[in-house]
């Protein structure tokens, strides 16, 4: 159990890390561009971001607790974080040293209100898995529980002692950092950091509430009740609390164990296609999905005989329901609009749908994004999935680079439920590709997309009608808008952009900046000279610091001659 002193030290360490790198960001991204040295910031940006991600990776591994989850969360936020950070953090594994069993036993006995020897028939002291928030032990149920449930083999998940305090400390530190970032304009204009932190907080608090995970497991099982493809562990509610979760042991062949599958007479390619179909059923049919379908949470269980005359002789078994996602009705409507706009090659409609699902902040200027989407439809829009596979990969790469830069320049931020969908789809694609190298995710999603489009035929017709009404409204308002333009011309309120004048103003601004640098240089040099007799260290520091504005005064005219006129 962490004490007050260690909690404060942890809190301060997280804040020191954030403050140090925020200061570096201010220097490179705000100060240097203001004195005409933006080129230095641009040239070093990639290396600096990679170095930042590596240092955070080391911090997360050292601190454990919620910091591991923070790194994993950041690695999934491709919408708001640069690739240098997401790439470096994507390999962060949620592994931690096991807690000694006596501490686990004490916590479990307090939660269950009885000795473990009475609560279970037996429990293995060595965990089968240990992570940052808890660890799992194999057990057998007591005879009375076996008689009631028909289950003998079980798995007992127990939280790490004191993890709730660590989570509170980490969230407090993250909220403090979010408050700092909210005051940094270049960040606040593009990312709602406090909202991101609250999204992460909700997910994290759910993960340390095992009653919530148990309820998720039962809801998931109800969604697939009667479906022979899917198996879900049963919850032993009599031995489950907020910090202890007991469920039936459903361990079987790990889904990515290709050799094990083949030895059991199971075709890995068939498993890949069945798994993709089950995941898309969750997205499009149930609206409730497993958001962490990595290989450690998935098994293939042989059943010994086909579930029906044409079905497979195995089932897909899901475990660990701490991270689940929902597709709210509003998001589902937005997804339908996205598909309808894509089918109609409507760039503006697609951007409107992106805005509707909450992916664009209200300050976003979407004109350039609409042009990018229109260009994409013109080049790739008429192709089916099979045809897209034949396109030169360099075309996709070039467009992706252009589009990625555009997206990061916009106030673009996907809602949490949308990011969980993307995370789950990415993990699904990775698992399926490991089972079948020729697997193509698009081939599996196409039938579901087609079904959504068929369901929305009535909406398409309605959309055409609304477009016609909107056009009629524009025509009706045209005389009034023309009159307003003429009025603005008469009153001298029409603004005209002149690039040459703007360039001259920019040169004038650079001259003023150099003058300010010269004044700053003289002030620092004079202050250092005056202070040096009384305080040699401070005087030397001020005199050395005067070199920075001096360099700007000397170098800026040279850089300006090579800039645009």
């Amino acid at each position: 159990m962490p004490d007050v002193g260690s909690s404060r030290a942890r809190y301060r360490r997280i804040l020191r890390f954030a403050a140090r790198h925020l200061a570096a960001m201010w220097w490179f991204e705000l100060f240097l561009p203001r004195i005409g040295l933006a080129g230095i910031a641009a040239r070093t940006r990639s290396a600096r971001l990679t170095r930042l991600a590596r240092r955070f990776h080391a911090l997360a591994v050292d601190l454990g607790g919620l910091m591991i989850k923070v790194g994993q969360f950041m690695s999934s936020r491709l919408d708001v974080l640069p690739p240098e950070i997401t790439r470096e953090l994507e390999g962060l594994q949620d592994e931690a040293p096991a807690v000694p069993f006596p501490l686990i036993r004490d916590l479990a006995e307090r939660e269950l209100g009885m000795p473990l020897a009475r609560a279970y028939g037996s429990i293995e002291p060595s965990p089968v898995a240990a992570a940052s928030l808890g660890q799992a032990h194999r057990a057998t149920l007591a005879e009375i529980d076996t008689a009631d449930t028909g289950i003998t083999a079980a798995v007992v998940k127990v939280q790490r002692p004191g993890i709730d305090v660590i989570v509170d400390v980490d969230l407090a530190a993250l909220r403090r950092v979010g408050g700092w970032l909210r005051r940094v304009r270049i960040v606040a204009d593009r990312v709602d950091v406090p909202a991101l932190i609250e999204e992460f907080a909700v997910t994290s608090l759910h993960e340390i509430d095992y009653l919530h995970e148990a309820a998720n497991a039962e809801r998931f099982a109800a969604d697939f009740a009667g479906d022979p493809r899917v198996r879900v562990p049963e919850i032993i509610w009599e031995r489950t609390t907020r910090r202890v979760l007991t469920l039936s042991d459903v361990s079987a062949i790990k889904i990515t164990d290709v050799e094990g599958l083949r030895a059991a007479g199971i075709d890995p390619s068939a498993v890949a296609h069945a798994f993709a179909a089950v995941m898309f059923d969750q997205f499009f049919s149930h609206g409730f999905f497993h958001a962490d379908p990595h290989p450690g949470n998935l098994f293939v269980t042989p059943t010994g005989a086909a579930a029906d005359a044409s079905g497979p002789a195995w089932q897909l078994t899901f475990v660990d329901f701490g991270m689940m996602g929902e597709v709210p009705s509003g998001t589902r409507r937005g997804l339908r609009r996205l598909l309808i706009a894509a089918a109609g090659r409507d760039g503006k409609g697609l951007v409107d749908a992106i805005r509707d699902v909450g992916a664009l902040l209200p300050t976003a200027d979407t004109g350039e994004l609409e042009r990018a989407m229109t260009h994409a439809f013109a080049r790739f829009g008429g192709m089916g999935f099979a045809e897209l596979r034949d396109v030169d990969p360099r075309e996709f790469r070039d467009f992706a680079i252009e589009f990625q830069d555009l997206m990061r320049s916009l106030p673009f931020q996907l809602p949490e439920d949308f990011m969980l969908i993307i995370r789950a789809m990415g993990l699904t694609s990775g698992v399926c590709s490991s089972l079948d190298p020729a697997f193509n995710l698009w081939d599996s999603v196409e039938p579901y997309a087609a079904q959504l489009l068929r369901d929305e035929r009535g909406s398409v017709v309605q959309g055409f009608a609304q477009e016609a009404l909107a056009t009629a409204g524009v025509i009706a308002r045209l005389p009034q808008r023309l009159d307003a333009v003429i009025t603005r011309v008469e009153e001298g309120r029409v603004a005209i952009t002149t690039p040459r004048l703007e360039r001259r103003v920019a040169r004038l601004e650079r001259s003023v900046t150099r003058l300010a640098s010269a004044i700053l240089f003289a002030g620092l040099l004079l202050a250092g000279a005056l202070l040096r007799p009384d305080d040699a260290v401070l005087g030397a520091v001020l005199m050395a610091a005067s070199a920075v504005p001096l360099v700007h005064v000397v170098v800026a005219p040279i850089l300006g001659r090579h800039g645009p006129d």
Side-chain angles (χ1 to χ4, degrees):
M1 181 82 176
D3 56 27
V4 175
S6 63
S7 296
R8 287 177 178 171
R10 182 185 184 91
Y11 179 81
R12 288 195 296 266
R13 185 175 176 188
I14 295 171
L15 292 187
R16 281 198 304 270
F17 179 90
R20 183 166 61 251
H21 289 91
L22 281 174
M25 180 182 72
W26 174 85
W27 174 264
F28 284 100
E29 303 298 339
L30 293 177
F31 181 73
L32 291 185
R34 284 181 181 177
I35 62 172
L37 299 177
I40 294 176
R43 286 193 298 273
T44 62
R45 184 171 295 120
S46 180
R48 284 187 288 109
L49 291 173
T50 300
R51 192 160 52 247
L52 166 63
R54 287 175 180 168
R55 288 173 178 169
F56 182 82
H57 189 291
L59 177 75
V61 170
D62 189 32
L63 288 180
L66 210 54
M67 290 296 103
I68 296 283
K69 298 291 183 182
V70 171
Q72 293 176 331
F73 180 78
M74 291 168 64
S75 72
S76 70
R77 296 310 305 233
L78 305 177
D79 55 324
V80 295
L81 292 175
E84 292 87 352
I85 291 180
T86 57
R87 276 198 306 265
E88 187 65 31
L89 296 179
E90 65 185 2
L92 194 58
Q93 299 296 315
D94 189 5
E95 298 176 353
V99 176
F101 186 69
L103 297 177
I104 291 294
R105 182 181 57 219
D106 290 346
L107 187 150
E109 289 181 346
R110 287 197 306 271
E111 284 291 308
L112 297 173
M114 64 180 71
L116 287 188
R118 180 181 166 195
Y120 302 99
S122 64
I123 184 168
E124 296 181 5
S126 298
V128 293
S132 57
L133 303 183
Q135 61 191 53
H137 296 257
R138 282 200 169 92
T140 59
L141 296 184
E143 291 183 3
I144 186 172
D145 292 328
T146 297
D148 288 342
T149 63
I151 298 169
T152 300
V155 171
V156 182
K157 290 179 62 174
V158 183
Q159 280 186 14
R160 298 179 77 89
I163 191 62
D164 50 348
V165 175
I166 291 175
V167 167
D168 288 343
V169 169
D170 290 355
L171 288 178
L174 291 174
R175 288 181 174 121
R176 183 77 177 273
V177 174
W180 294 346
L181 289 171
R182 186 175 55 188
R183 296 180 176 88
V184 180
R185 186 171 180 179
I186 61 172
V187 176
D189 285 347
R190 298 183 183 184
V191 185
D192 187 352
V193 176
L196 275 183
I197 291 173
E198 291 310 314
E199 289 174 4
F200 175 73
V202 170
T203 301
S204 301
L205 293 173
H206 282 167
E207 282 201 70
I208 61 170
D209 183 352
Y210 287 164
L211 292 175
H212 187 268
E213 178 176 346
N216 284 341
E218 291 209 332
R219 179 178 173 183
F220 188 87
D223 283 344
F224 287 95
D227 190 328
R229 301 172 300 171
V230 178
R231 186 185 183 199
V232 180
E234 294 185 42
I235 305 299
I236 314 301
W237 284 102
E238 293 79 5
R239 299 291 178 260
T240 295
T241 71
R242 198 174 72 84
R243 294 183 176 88
V244 176
L245 172 62
T246 307
L247 60 162
S248 60
D249 187 354
V250 292
S251 303
I253 305 171
K254 189 175 181 179
I255 193 169
T256 51
D257 182 1
V258 174
E259 294 304 318
L261 292 173
R262 287 176 176 153
I266 299 172
D267 180 10
S269 178
V271 172
H273 286 83
F275 174 53
V278 167
M279 290 302 299
F280 286 123
D281 277 346
Q282 296 172 46
F283 298 138
F284 294 108
S285 300
H286 304 305
F288 182 68
F289 61 93
H290 199 300
D292 197 23
H294 64 75
N297 289 337
L298 297 162
F299 299 99
V300 178
T301 305
T303 58
D308 56 46
S310 59
W314 45 266
Q315 292 177 305
L316 292 166
T317 300
F318 289 77
V319 300
D320 194 348
F321 299 90
M323 185 185 295
M324 303 295 290
E326 292 196 55
V327 187
S329 57
T331 302
R332 297 185 77 185
R333 285 194 298 271
L335 289 173
R336 290 188 176 98
R337 287 196 63 193
L338 282 168
L339 287 171
I340 292 168
R345 305 185 201 178
D346 179 6
K348 184 179 185 304
L350 189 68
V351 174
D352 288 342
I354 293 173
R355 188 190 291 276
D356 286 347
V357 299
L360 286 173
L361 299 182
T363 56
D365 179 6
T366 56
E368 189 65 24
L369 181 58
E370 289 177 15
R371 286 191 288 274
M373 291 293 94
T374 301
H375 174 72
F377 285 135
R379 178 63 188 92
F380 308 114
M383 300 181 181
F385 290 113
E387 294 173 293
L388 286 173
R389 290 201 298 267
D390 296 331
V391 174
D392 188 340
R394 286 174 295 184
E395 291 193 47
F396 288 123
R397 185 182 65 245
D398 293 344
F399 182 81
I401 292 172
E402 176 185 353
F403 187 64
Q404 173 179 284
D405 293 341
L406 170 65
M407 298 304 275
R408 280 208 301 273
S409 70
L410 287 172
F412 180 81
Q413 178 173 302
L414 291 177
E416 171 70 358
D417 51 49
F418 219 92
M419 282 310 304
L420 288 177
I421 293 172
I422 294 174
R423 170 187 170 84
M425 289 185 68
L427 289 171
T428 299
S429 179
V431 169
C432 292
S433 296
S434 68
L435 290 166
D436 179 4
F439 178 84
N440 188 301
L441 186 66
W442 296 110
D443 291 339
S444 295
V445 74
E446 189 170 20
Y448 294 91
Q451 181 61 46
L452 282 179
L453 288 172
R454 285 195 294 271
D455 292 343
E456 292 295 323
R457 281 175 180 168
S459 299
V460 173
V461 174
Q462 184 179 2
F464 284 138
Q466 291 174 348
E467 188 69 24
L469 288 174
T471 302
V474 171
I475 294 173
R477 292 191 300 270
L478 189 58
Q480 182 180 357
R481 296 180 69 181
L482 286 173
D483 181 64
V485 171
I486 293 171
T487 300
R488 292 181 67 185
V489 172
E490 291 174 345
E491 294 177 355
R493 293 189 291 113
V494 176
I496 299 177
T497 302
T498 57
R500 184 175 296 276
L501 177 59
E502 291 175 356
R503 287 194 292 270
R504 290 178 179 174
V505 171
R507 284 201 298 271
L508 178 60
E509 289 177 345
R510 288 196 295 269
S511 298
V512 173
T513 303
R514 289 198 300 274
L515 177 60
S517 294
I519 295 172
L520 181 60
F521 160 70
L524 289 172
L525 185 64
L526 181 60
L530 291 174
L531 286 172
R532 192 169 183 182
D534 299 322
D535 190 336
V537 175
L538 180 59
V541 169
L542 291 175
M543 294 179 71
S546 70
V548 174
L550 176 62
V551 169
H552 177 243
V553 172
V554 174
V555 174
I558 300 173
L559 297 176
R561 285 199 296 270
H562 297 286
D565 292 326

